[in-house]
């Protein structure tokens, strides 16, 4: 084989192998979900009616049931679960930003050796089991847990509060688990900031607070976008946190999909819910990809 | 004015790190508590190592940990191979048909809620069952590779972007074939990123619960699945002991890797200073 041809073949292979993998195991599955969302429940394994069938005279029949979507949009429970998930994710994202921005700022402005240490301290929880970190709050927030113990000792309350299995615990778990995802992109944006711009602003008589809002904040905009999207998107569909820390009335959509699938074995409705969630989030995913590709090119 | 602002930043740093670490440290502390009630400190019999002993005698946990370890290792190796190819394609072949979709497919698995990815993969595995057999360790590994790969790509691509392309071009000009250039020049230069991507992929797989629950079959219980089914029923002292061991391993690994990187950076700065000094 000629070198040029071999090189073209090599180039083709480098692209094709991961492309093929992601197509089979990421793209095609979504098409199957889409297909099943138009199907009906049936007592069999898999428990769904086929969408495409061969009729008696070899005519292919396509039967699409929109009933699952009608069911999803007609039931207040599902609508509320979607709205609640969006609200909880949005509020958690804002709180994570309010805590994460000053943290990222402090780390980026810390003296050399400290900066590396603090950076590693943000990364470390990310490497420690997500599940176990959520579980840790079950111990802390329990009726006999140390949070209630402290509040009792301080005399702020007279009997233990119900902290676990509340919406408060879900917010706490969300902010806690996703905080590193917020801090890391903010850190890299703030670290890249040209400090001479702030000096110039100060020389021209700009107050530090005003300089922060007119120089620092706009120039780290992309880090803010990336951080918020990295927290918001997975938070909307979060399952583990509401399952362990939330009460029975905290119906987040991730939990509803799980229950429809494992509890009710209603694959079509679970698929329809997943499709609606996917459509809801796809705009945000595209936005994230745009922000990240711009950052990579910068 | 300036002082007040740095006080604010400093106190937010302290608050943020306390928030991140108090829950982790609480598990470590309670793992030595003798009381079965976990958060009620039994000062008469604590500290104790009883839960650690119980942990190592629990054959179910040990079996689950072995399975998780096996899946995580295979997953990390596969994810790094696919991730390196994909990172190379995205970074070096700037233009090819379907690049937009490819780049979307490499980003989406990182952020999409796990219930969506898990559900869709399960439906695929049901269709593929005649081909790849019943669900179990194999389907879990395939599922993990698909999302770990996305993270591996980010890490490797970032490193690949910093590699001086003139080195590769020089080797090419001297007649080296593309594969040889990759093996002799590029691979050693991106090796640290490949190592980090392997560790990251290992941990992502080792920790995963939601996707695993969808694609696993009877008889294949990973460690997170075991832990999840247990903690759903409430806090449990041996899970605290397990968490402590895992935190210890991760901390040591991160500290070793961190010190190594810092030493390397310092050496690089020193070398640069020596070189500049010799030049001037």
């Amino acid at each position: 084989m000629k070198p040029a041809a071999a090189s073209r073949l090599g180039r083709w292979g480098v692209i094709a192998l991961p492309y093929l993998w992601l197509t089979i195991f990421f793209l095609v599955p979504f098409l199957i979900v889409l297909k099943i969302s138009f199907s009906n429940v049936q007592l069999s394994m898999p428990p769904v009616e086929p969408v495409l069938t061969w009729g008696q005279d070899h005519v292919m029949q396509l039967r699409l049931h929109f009933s699952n979507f009608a069911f999803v949009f007609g039931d207040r429970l599902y609508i509320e679960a979607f709205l609640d998930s969006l609200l909880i994710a949005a509020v958690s994202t804002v709180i994570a930003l309010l805590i994460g921005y000053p943290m990222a700022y402090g780390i980026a402005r810390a003296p050399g050796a400290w900066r590396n240490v603090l950076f590693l301290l943000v990364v470390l929880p990310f490497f420690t089991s997500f599940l176990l970190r959520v579980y840790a709050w079950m111990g802390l927030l329990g009726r006999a847990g140390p949070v209630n113990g402290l509040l009792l000792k301080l005399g702020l309350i007279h009997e233990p509060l119900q902290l676990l299995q509340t919406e408060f615990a879900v917010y706490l778990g969300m902010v806690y688990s996703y905080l590193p995802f917020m801090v890391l992109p903010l850190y890299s944006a703030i670290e890249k900031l040209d400090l001479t711009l702030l000096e110039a602003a100060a020389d021209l008589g700009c107050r530090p607070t005003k300089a922060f809002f007119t120089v620092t904040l706009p120039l780290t905009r992309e880090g803010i976008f990336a951080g918020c999207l990295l927290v918001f998107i997975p938070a909307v569909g979060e399952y583990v946190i509401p399952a362990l820390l939330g009460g029975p009335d905290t119906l987040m959509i991730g939990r509803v999909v799980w229950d429809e699938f494992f509890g009710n074995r209603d694959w079509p409705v679970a698929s329809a819910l997943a499709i609606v969630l996917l459509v809801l989030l796809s705009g945000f995913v595209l936005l994230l990809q745009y922000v990240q590709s711009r950052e990579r090119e910068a | 004015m300036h002082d007040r602002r740095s006080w604010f930043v400093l106190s937010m740093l302290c608050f943020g790190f306390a928030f991140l670490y108090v829950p982790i440290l609480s598990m470590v502390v309670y793992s030595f508590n003798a009381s079965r009630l976990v958060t009620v400190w039994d000062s008469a019999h604590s500290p104790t190592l009883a839960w650690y002993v119980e942990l190592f005698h629990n054959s179910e946990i040990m079996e689950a940990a072995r399975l998780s370890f096996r899946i995580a290792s295979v997953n990390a190796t596969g994810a790094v191979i696919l991730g390196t190819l994909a990172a190379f394609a995205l970074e070096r072949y700037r233009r090819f048909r379907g690049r937009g979709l490819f780049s979307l497919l490499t980003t989406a698995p990182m952020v999409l809620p796990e219930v969506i990815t898990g559900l869709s993969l399960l439906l695929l595995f049901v269709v593929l069952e005649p081909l790849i057999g019943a669900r179990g360790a194999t389907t879990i590994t395939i599922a993990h590779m698909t999302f770990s790969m996305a993270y591996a790509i980010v890490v490797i691509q970032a490193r690949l972007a910093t590699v001086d392309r003139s080195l590769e071009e020089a080797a090419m000009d001297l007649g080296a074939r593309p594969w040889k250039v990759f093996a002799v020049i590029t691979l050693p230069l991106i090796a640290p990123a490949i190592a980090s991507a392997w560790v990251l992929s290992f941990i992502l797989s080792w920790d995963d619960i939601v996707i695993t629950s969808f694609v696993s079959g009877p008889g294949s219980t990973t460690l997170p699945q075991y832990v999840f089914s247990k903690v759903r029923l409430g806090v449990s002292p041996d899970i605290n002991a397990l968490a402590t061991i895992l935190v210890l391993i991760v901390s040591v690994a991160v500290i070793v890797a961190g010190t190594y990187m810092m030493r390397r950076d310092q050496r690089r700065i020193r070398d640069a200073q020596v070189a500049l000094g010799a030049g001037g």
Side-chain angles (χ1 to χ4, degrees), chain A residues 52-74:
Chain A
L52 275 175
T53 45
W54 290 101
Q56 282 170 334
D57 36 7
H58 299 279
V59 181
M60 198 163 72
Q61 290 183 329
L62 178 67
R63 249 181 301 177
L64 295 181
H65 298 273
F66 289 88
S67 54
N68 301 310
F69 289 96
F71 181 59
V72 165
F73 285 112

Side-chain angles (χ1 to χ4, degrees), chain A residues 68-100:
Chain A
N68 301 310
F69 289 96
F71 181 59
V72 165
F73 285 112
D75 196 324
R76 280 218 7 238
L77 178 102
Y78 296 121
I79 304 283
E80 267 170 31
F82 272 113
L83 292 179
D84 267 8
S85 306
L86 289 173
L87 179 73
I88 291 177
V91 173
S92 307
T93 305
V94 172
I95 299 174
L97 178 65
L98 292 179
I99 301 175

Side-chain angles (χ1 to χ4, degrees), chain A residues 3 33 82 193 252:
Chain A
V33 176
F82 272 113
L193 190 74
M252 285 190 73

